[in-house]
């Protein structure tokens, strides 16, 4: 167990380390920033507006702006961001989505079939892929959520989908700002 005084020092070090990374992010050239943010959200406009909002004072400030900007995007930009995600249960070719959908990797054949059938029904009903904040969820949980969301009307489901996209963006931003900026990015 960490003693309170040690915990306080640890928290200060973590805050200091985050602010260094945040300062690096705040000073990235636009092209590098856009490339980096595209890995978080495929909406070019979202990335541009995020960079225009710099400098950020802390990670919470970044997350607040990310949420606000996402909710203000036009439909086409939301669609571009959503459509860049892999279908839940399909093969994934990027590390972020593989980590996020790790719960499907151990799913039974029955769960995978439910996801595939649910995905088809969802796309038929709503006209776009099922998007869910998958991190920490099992394949079974994602299949159950999918089944439940099939009962939503289109307007409700669009709000839910945007909320899930926001959760994914937040996690990816937190991970981005927790890693040092790569050499040569400047």
């Amino acid at each position: 167990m960490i003693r309170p005084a040690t915990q306080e020092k640890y928290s200060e070090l973590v805050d200091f380390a985050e602010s260094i990374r945040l300062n690096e992010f705040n000073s990235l050239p636009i092209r590098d920033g856009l490339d980096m943010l595209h890995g978080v959200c495929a909406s070019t406009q979202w990335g541009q507006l995020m960079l225009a909002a710099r400098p950020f004072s802390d990670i919470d400030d970044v997350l607040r702006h990310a949420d606000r900007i996402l909710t203000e995007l036009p439909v086409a930009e939301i669609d571009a961001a959503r459509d860049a995600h892999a279908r839940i249960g399909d093969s994934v070719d990027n590390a972020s989505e593989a980590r996020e959908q790790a719960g499907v990797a151990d799913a039974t054949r029955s769960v995978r079939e439910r996801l595939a059938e649910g995905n088809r029904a969802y796309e038929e009903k709503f006209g776009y892929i099922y998007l869910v904040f998958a991190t920490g969820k099992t394949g079974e949980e994602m299949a159950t959520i999918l089944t439940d969301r099939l009962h939503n009307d289109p307007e409700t489901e669009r709000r839910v989908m945007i909320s899930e996209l926001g959760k994914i963006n937040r996690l990816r931003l937190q991970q981005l700002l927790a890693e040092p900026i790569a050499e040569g990015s400047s």
Side-chain angles (χ1 to χ4, degrees):
M1 184 170 145
I2 299 176
R3 293 187 312 237
T6 308
Q7 178 64 42
E8 187 177 311
K9 289 278 188 209
Y10 175 76
S11 293
E12 288 173 15
L13 286 172
V14 168
D15 290 344
F16 178 71
E18 287 176 352
S19 68
I20 290 172
R21 289 184 205 106
L22 185 60
N23 287 338
E24 288 177 280
F25 177 73
N26 280 334
S27 63
L28 278 175
I30 297 221
R31 179 172 296 240
D32 292 341
L34 284 173
D35 288 345
M36 203 171 273
L37 289 175
H38 194 265
V40 172
C41 179
S43 164
T44 302
Q45 187 176 3
W46 181 86
Q48 291 168 336
L49 292 169
M50 284 293 293
L51 292 175
R54 296 183 299 176
F56 297 107
S57 58
D58 57 31
I59 292 175
D60 288 337
D61 190 28
V62 174
L63 299 177
R64 275 190 304 276
H65 276 84
D67 291 343
R68 181 186 54 75
I69 290 167
L70 182 66
T71 63
E72 295 173 358
L73 287 177
V75 170
E77 287 295 315
I78 294 286
D79 292 349
R82 180 204 56 231
D83 292 345
H85 288 267
R87 184 177 285 112
I88 298 291
D90 279 1
S91 297
V92 180
D93 64 355
N94 84 45
S96 289
E97 287 194 292
R99 277 191 309 270
E100 293 163 3
Q101 290 194 35
V104 176
D106 298 330
T108 65
R109 182 178 182 173
S110 169
V111 169
R112 288 178 180 276
E113 288 171 357
R114 280 181 48 216
L115 280 168
E117 290 170 22
N119 279 327
R120 280 190 294 280
Y122 184 97
E123 290 172 31
E124 226 172 82
K125 179 173 182 175
F126 298 113
Y128 51 84
I129 67 163
Y130 163 60
L131 187 68
V132 66
F133 180 76
T135 301
K137 291 180 178 62
T138 65
E140 177 67 37
E141 289 171 313
M142 288 182 261
T144 300
I145 293 167
L146 172 54
T147 301
D148 292 344
R149 284 175 51 189
L150 280 167
H151 298 292
N152 288 341
D153 61 85
E155 185 178 317
T156 299
E157 183 53 31
R158 184 147 184 95
R159 282 194 310 269
V160 172
M161 177 272 297
I162 292 169
S163 173
E164 295 296 296
L165 182 59
K167 292 176 194 175
I168 295 165
N169 289 353
R170 289 174 70 84
L171 175 67
R172 290 179 178 183
L173 280 167
Q174 289 167 326
Q175 291 170 337
L176 174 73
L177 295 173
E179 298 172 5
I181 304 298
E183 289 291 317
S185 291
S186 56

